[in-house]
Amino acid sequence: MSVIEIKVPDIGDFDEVAVIELLVKPGDSVAAEQSLITVESDKASMEIPSSHAGVVKELKVKLGDKVKEGSVVLLLEAAGADAAAPTPAAAPAASSKPAAAPAPQAQVATNAAAPTAPASASLIEVHVPDIGDFKDVAVIEVMVKAGDSVKVEQSLITVESDKASMEIPSSAAGVIKELKVKLGDKLNIGDLLAILEGVAPAAAVATAAPASASPAAAALVATTTAAPVPAAAVPAHDPSAPQGRLPHASPSVRKFARELGVPLAEVKGSGPKGRITQADVQGFTRSVMAGAAQTQAQSARAPSGGDGAALGLIPWPKVDFTKFGTVERKDLSRIKKLSGANLHRNWVMVPHVTNNDEADITELEAFRVATNKENEKSGVKVTMLAFVIKAVVSALKKFPDFNASLDGDALVYKQYFNIGFAADTPNGLVVPVLKDADKKGILQISQEMGELAKKARDGKLGSADMQGGCISISSLGGIGGTHFTPIINAPEVAILGLSKSQMKPVWDGKQFMPRLVLPLSLSYDHRVIDGAAAARFNAYLGQVLADFRRVLL
Ligand code: CAO
């Protein structure tokens, strides 16, 4: 086992480049050609590979250090034949020689030979310049389109190998007549990028970078001197670049993000100058998986069900409605977008079952009407909903599972009784929460409900007004319907739907009697509540509403 120095190979014309990423640490086993560090100049970022396989003994550079050709990156304990030739003992200088370096691991955009040849008097062809020893580099960003005016040296596309990324500049000024590449294309030196219409450069020469300027084993190619028309490459990931450009990250980190499907533009970089590290990508992935964050694509999908891909469904139908008649397009209100996303999540994630029942409210309705008469002057109107809220509190006390929330594998039982009620507003559905309903009488509940409903319609509900609910009630009784399936307002585990009460003939054992019947639709989370418990809860509600004295029991 011998210790060898791994040095920075020939990095072309670059004097000093900054170390921006350490990819290994002492004790790590590395393979020959495995990237050790990432360095960055103002022209490109590149990874410096190991010339040997072995175990990292000591790192000789740290973040921010400036290195150049010959700088020692680390000491490596190399094993076996692999180490024989270049060990300091056997060939002292060999380890620092570019010739000993493996095939190029990084590259820089060449200034040089952006081969530019006039295609006609006014048409100019822009080709891929010398990009070093790399072959088939992928186009990962197209920054211009046909019709755009471009200046000399303006970046046209970004290409990426597995080790480096770079922007390819235009070798001439003009208007893009035709783009010859698209995302995903694989490019090589000399490939035609675009045809420009406009001012031909002073001396457009289709010259490839001289091979001599690009040593066979050199890690970088930079052939500025050979370029009659300098077409300088710019950093692929300039942190000061305007928004919408590629994020600041090394090629390996971007490759890693692509493999995970992470949208790098949404990841916050913790590295120098906001550079995105592998740990940042992992952190982003963890928070999305834990549900603590959403990608922009997920948020955009949420309200409408999106393209269905997240559920493995076929795409949402795209219809050109104008083919069938005149249409008007209106954006969803803010409330609709928010409530839609919540309803969708709850519908998809909570296994709902709805239990339908009826309550005989004949006597209660008579009492309600009498109460309203007595309190005419108070300005407080009592509706059936206030009685139902009180009855629900009583049912929650009797069936505590309905006043619980799922928290992982546990149930959190609430000792308070806050009842949410769905309120229809011009902008959409909101659910204000009436707090401590167990401590309030029917008149106070009616008054507070009226105030909350007004606040809701005026768009003045604060977030505190809508938090802390135990169970919700959705009353469509003032409108109509017989029964419906209300959607649970998670993390609550049940919701009670009220439909329009109607006079019905009810058999009393001897005869049919006209009774006022209120339909009750109880949706429950079947993970927490069994069907029998739901039937008992609903039946109990019916009994309480039929004889309100039961609330006192
Ligand atoms: N059966 C028959 N009539 C009923 C009734 C019922 N179950 N519930 C209420 N009514 C009557 C009331 O007595 C009142 O009659 P009068 O005008 O003759 O006095 C009328 O319907 C209107 O009541 P209201 O709506 O003003 O009062 P409320 O307390 O019943 O409801 C509120 C308040 C805010 C819940 C309600 O206005 C509302 O917004 N409901 C819609 C809720 C909703 O959209 N749910 C769906 C959510 S899921 O998409």
Side-chain angles (χ1 to χ4, degrees), residues 413-468:
Y413 287 90
K414 294 153 210 167
Q415 314 285 325
Y416 51 88
F417 299 88
N418 298 337
I419 314 295
F421 62 97
D424 189 25
T425 80
N427 288 320
L429 171 72
V430 288
V431 186
V433 174
L434 194 133
K435 307 275 163 47
D436 298 321
D438 56 319
K439 301 190 178 107
K440 295 172 182 167
I442 296 289
L443 290 177
Q444 191 181 350
I445 289 175
S446 298
Q447 183 183 345
E448 286 188 20
M449 230 170 48
E451 288 164 3
L452 284 168
K454 180 170 185 326
K455 252 175 134 179
R457 281 192 289 271
D458 296 346
K460 291 194 175 144
L461 282 179
S463 58
D465 292 325
M466 293 182 276
Q467 286 174 359

Side-chain angles (χ1 to χ4, degrees), residues 368 381 383-386 421-424 429 449 453 457 474-479 484 498-501 518:
R368 184 187 77 84
K381 185 176 140 190
T383 62
M384 190 50 65
L385 187 53
F421 62 97
D424 189 25
L429 171 72
M449 230 170 48
R457 281 192 289 271
S474 174
S475 174
L476 295 174
I479 304 167
F484 66 106
L498 304 178
S499 296
K500 194 174 178 63
S501 54
L518 172 68

Side-chain angles (χ1 to χ4, degrees), residues 26 60 71 94 129 235 256 323 326 406 437 530:
K60 289 292 192 184
S71 300
F256 179 61
K323 281 200 304 200
T326 309
L406 262 180
D530 295 333

Side-chain angles (χ1 to χ4, degrees), residues 160-172:
E160 185 179 67
S161 71
D162 59 341
K163 300 291 179 189
S165 60
M166 71 202 84
E167 293 181 9
I168 303 284
S170 178
S171 51

Side-chain angles (χ1 to χ4, degrees), residues 184-525:
D185 281 359
K186 297 284 168 67
L187 298 181
N188 291 291
I189 180 170
D191 284 351
L192 182 60
L193 284 184
I195 297 175
L196 300 190
E197 204 166 27
V199 193
V205 181
T207 324
S212 59
S214 175
L220 296 168
V221 180
T223 52
T224 40
T225 49
V229 185
V234 294
H237 304 300
D238 181 355
S240 61
Q243 279 196 341
R245 303 290 295 276
L246 281 183
H248 189 44
S250 73
S252 56
V253 167
R254 280 186 294 108
K255 183 164 180 267
F256 179 61
R258 265 203 308 278
E259 282 166 3
L260 295 178
V262 169
L264 213 46
E266 294 172 36
V267 180
K268 199 169 163 358
S270 63
K273 297 185 199 164
R275 191 176 186 84
I276 298 166
T277 65
Q278 182 157 334
D280 295 330
V281 175
Q282 286 164 330
F284 182 87
T285 310
R286 267 196 294 274
S287 57
V288 169
M289 294 304 288
Q294 270 196 329
T295 62
Q296 284 167 14
Q298 284 173 324
S299 323
R301 266 203 304 265
S304 66
D307 58 9
L311 298 171
L313 304 176
I314 57 170
W316 192 257
K318 267 200 179 310
V319 178
D320 177 7
F321 301 102
T322 58
K323 281 200 304 200
F324 310 107
T326 309
V327 297
E328 185 192 4
R329 189 185 168 86
K330 281 187 182 170
D331 285 338
L332 288 174
S333 70
R334 196 180 62 84
I335 289 181
K336 271 221 153 64
K337 280 188 203 157
L338 287 171
S339 62
N342 278 292
L343 288 165
H344 186 199
R345 180 203 54 204
N346 298 346
W347 183 246
V348 168
M349 290 187 69
V350 179
H352 283 67
V353 182
T354 305
N355 178 284
N356 293 310
D357 208 333
E358 291 178 334
D360 181 339
I361 57 166
T362 317
E363 266 83 49
L364 193 57
E365 175 63 6
F367 178 65
R368 184 187 77 84
V369 171
T371 307
N372 275 338
K373 269 209 179 111
E374 280 167 28
N375 288 287
E376 226 163 6
K377 288 192 185 128
S378 72
V380 179
K381 185 176 140 190
V382 176
T383 62
M384 190 50 65
L385 187 53
F387 288 102
V388 176
I389 286 178
K390 209 65 193 164
V392 164
V393 169
S394 178
L396 289 180
K397 286 181 177 168
K398 196 169 168 65
F399 302 95
D401 280 356
F402 288 76
N403 197 8
S405 281
L406 262 180
D407 184 15
D409 285 341
L411 274 178
V412 178
Y413 287 90
K414 294 153 210 167
Q415 314 285 325
Y416 51 88
F417 299 88
N418 298 337
I419 314 295
F421 62 97
D424 189 25
T425 80
N427 288 320
L429 171 72
V430 288
V431 186
V433 174
L434 194 133
K435 307 275 163 47
D436 298 321
D438 56 319
K439 301 190 178 107
K440 295 172 182 167
I442 296 289
L443 290 177
Q444 191 181 350
I445 289 175
S446 298
Q447 183 183 345
E448 286 188 20
M449 230 170 48
E451 288 164 3
L452 284 168
K454 180 170 185 326
K455 252 175 134 179
R457 281 192 289 271
D458 296 346
K460 291 194 175 144
L461 282 179
S463 58
D465 292 325
M466 293 182 276
Q467 286 174 359
C470 301
I471 188 172
S472 296
I473 300 176
S474 174
S475 174
L476 295 174
I479 304 167
T482 52
H483 282 101
F484 66 106
T485 300
I487 299 180
I488 294 166
N489 190 15
E492 296 166 16
V493 293
I495 181 168
L496 178 68
L498 304 178
S499 296
K500 194 174 178 63
S501 54
Q502 289 186 49
M503 291 302 288
K504 283 190 175 179
V506 177
W507 186 250
D508 71 355
K510 289 185 201 135
Q511 57 188 330
F512 281 105
M513 296 293 290
R515 307 295 293 176
L516 188 64
V517 174
L518 172 68
L520 307 172
S521 302
L522 179 72
S523 291
Y524 56 95
D525 182 340

